[in-house]
Amino acid sequence: MLENVIYAHDSEKKWIQSHPIILYEQFLIRYTIKHVNSCMRKDNQVDHENLICFDAITEKGKKFQDTTISYLCDDDLIFLVKNVCPDELTQEYFERKRWRRPLWKSKSEFKSIINTIGSEAIDEMNRYFKRIYNFLSEKEIPVLNDATIKEFEDMISNLKKIDNPKLKTDKQKNLELDAKTLKFMEFIREMLKRKNIPFDIVILKSNDFKSGFQKEELSNTKIYFPSLDKVNKLKVVLNTLNFTEDSMEMYYIYYRPAYEDDSLVKINLSEFMNELRKYLMPN
């Protein structure tokens, strides 16, 4: 029974909580809360005053513009998003058909289509994804598009202008990676445009999955066998505790499908990965 409980926990964490649609919904919710908070703070012209604060959830309330918000709840945030602080990304949350779509649907699917690329190319690709993901995380609107590439180019140009060794930063040390990442961004952009797909994508990192079977406290749990009048640790009697999880980092690409004659045009995953393989393995 204990084994079945852990299996159920692992299945929920791996296939539901880490599902790309759930990850994208979390992304939209986090952005929306951050955006509303920033919007209300700007309107109040006091940087250190946040909408989500202790006063706002009490009877006393917090005054923003001509309105006092008290007992702050989900309904207040939804009203503000819809009527006071709307933008394209927050409105996307309310209309599911506008959501970007994941290029691959799971880690298993991703692994099955990259087996021909090779481990070195996979590591290189993940370095690019990680750099893009970290860069977008610093942006007010974390979307990869033409404007973002321009910002990335400007960042590289500014770093190259710094000649003083004392002013060298970690970002300067990573200029070589940044230059390669920029080319990778441009490759993705051109590939999408050739397929008439808008270059307006989101890159999210999958939640790290660690099986409940790997927890040391579980492995050392003592089990009493009445018929043998004997106590053993769980790891001694349960083979599934030898389970090992792939530690490969996993990123999802979300894109907006195009429309031609009212028909939805999606990216052909096989073709996409073939072009990606040629880019990463030119020889």
Side-chain angles (χ1 to χ4, degrees):
M1 184 183 73
L2 185 59
E3 185 176 7
N4 288 336
V5 170
I6 301 168
Y7 268 130
H9 170 270
D10 281 0
S11 295
E12 178 182 352
K13 189 174 182 181
K14 184 173 183 178
W15 299 109
I16 299 178
Q17 295 178 16
S18 296
H19 191 280
I21 298 301
I22 301 298
L23 293 178
Y24 192 68
E25 183 175 26
Q26 292 174 349
F27 161 76
L28 289 176
I29 291 174
R30 284 196 301 269
Y31 171 80
T32 297
I33 292 174
K34 182 179 178 180
H35 173 72
V36 171
N37 194 50
S38 176
C39 172
M40 298 301 290
R41 190 169 56 212
K42 288 178 181 177
D43 288 340
N44 215 35
Q45 297 182 343
V46 182
D47 287 341
H48 66 273
E49 292 190 352
N50 294 318
L51 169 64
I52 302 175
C53 62
F54 179 77
D55 286 345
I57 63 174
T58 64
E59 182 180 7
K60 176 183 176 182
K62 186 77 174 179
K63 189 171 183 179
F64 291 89
Q65 302 178 58
D66 298 326
T67 303
T68 298
I69 298 177
S70 58
Y71 299 123
L72 180 69
C73 64
D74 292 352
D75 291 340
D76 296 316
L77 292 174
I78 291 172
F79 173 83
L80 292 172
V81 171
K82 288 182 176 180
N83 300 282
V84 180
C85 305
D87 77 350
E88 184 177 357
L89 206 51
T90 59
Q91 296 310 295
E92 184 177 336
Y93 175 74
F94 297 105
E95 191 174 354
R96 199 177 184 92
K97 69 179 183 180
R98 293 173 56 188
W99 285 22
R100 295 170 177 83
R101 307 192 179 206
L103 190 52
W104 39 82
K105 306 300 190 295
S106 67
K107 189 171 186 176
S108 299
E109 181 182 29
F110 178 71
K111 288 178 64 178
S112 70
I113 59 179
I114 62 171
N115 285 337
T116 59
I117 293 181
S119 59
E120 290 185 7
I122 293 171
D123 290 341
E124 182 180 1
M125 178 182 66
N126 275 338
R127 282 196 293 272
Y128 299 152
F129 280 146
K130 183 176 182 178
R131 183 67 188 97
I132 297 170
Y133 173 78
N134 290 337
F135 178 74
L136 292 178
S137 298
E138 300 171 356
K139 302 291 107 181
E140 185 175 348
I141 301 179
V143 174
L144 182 59
N145 51 28
D146 291 329
T148 315
I149 285 188
K150 181 63 169 60
E151 289 182 34
F152 200 81
E153 287 177 334
D154 292 343
M155 179 198 71
I156 292 175
S157 297
N158 291 333
L159 289 174
K160 286 181 177 179
K161 294 176 183 178
I162 301 177
D163 295 326
N164 190 337
K166 295 181 180 180
L167 298 179
K168 284 190 177 295
T169 64
D170 290 337
K171 287 185 178 180
Q172 282 182 276
K173 295 174 184 177
N174 291 327
L175 270 176
E176 183 178 352
L177 173 61
D178 285 346
K180 291 181 178 180
T181 302
L182 177 59
K183 290 182 179 180
F184 185 72
M185 290 180 181
E186 292 171 341
F187 161 74
I188 296 291
R189 175 172 63 183
E190 293 308 311
M191 184 166 52
L192 293 182
K193 288 186 175 180
R194 285 199 305 270
K195 301 178 185 300
N196 295 319
I197 300 292
F199 181 58
D200 183 37
I201 65 177
V202 168
I203 295 178
L204 299 180
K205 184 179 179 182
S206 174
N207 294 332
D208 293 331
F209 170 74
K210 186 175 182 180
S211 172
F213 289 117
Q214 294 179 295
K215 295 180 180 178
E216 185 176 354
E217 57 268 30
L218 176 67
S219 300
N220 293 324
T221 300
K222 294 180 179 179
I223 305 294
Y224 174 67
F225 296 90
S227 60
L228 302 175
D229 191 25
K230 184 179 180 180
V231 174
N232 269 322
K233 290 184 178 180
L234 195 60
K235 63 183 177 183
V236 176
V237 298
L238 203 58
N239 290 331
T240 47
L241 290 181
N242 296 323
F243 170 86
T244 57
E245 178 65 19
D246 185 4
S247 60
M248 183 184 74
E249 285 189 325
M250 173 69 188
Y251 294 89
Y252 288 105
I253 296 178
Y254 297 82
Y255 71 99
R256 294 190 189 279
Y259 287 88
E260 291 182 4
D261 300 326
D262 295 327
S263 296
L264 194 64
V265 179
K266 299 181 182 179
I267 294 176
N268 184 299
L269 184 54
S270 179
E271 293 179 1
F272 180 90
M273 293 308 297
N274 280 336
E275 293 194 43
L276 189 60
R277 177 177 57 81
K278 292 176 183 177
Y279 176 82
L280 295 170
M281 302 172 62
N283 298 323

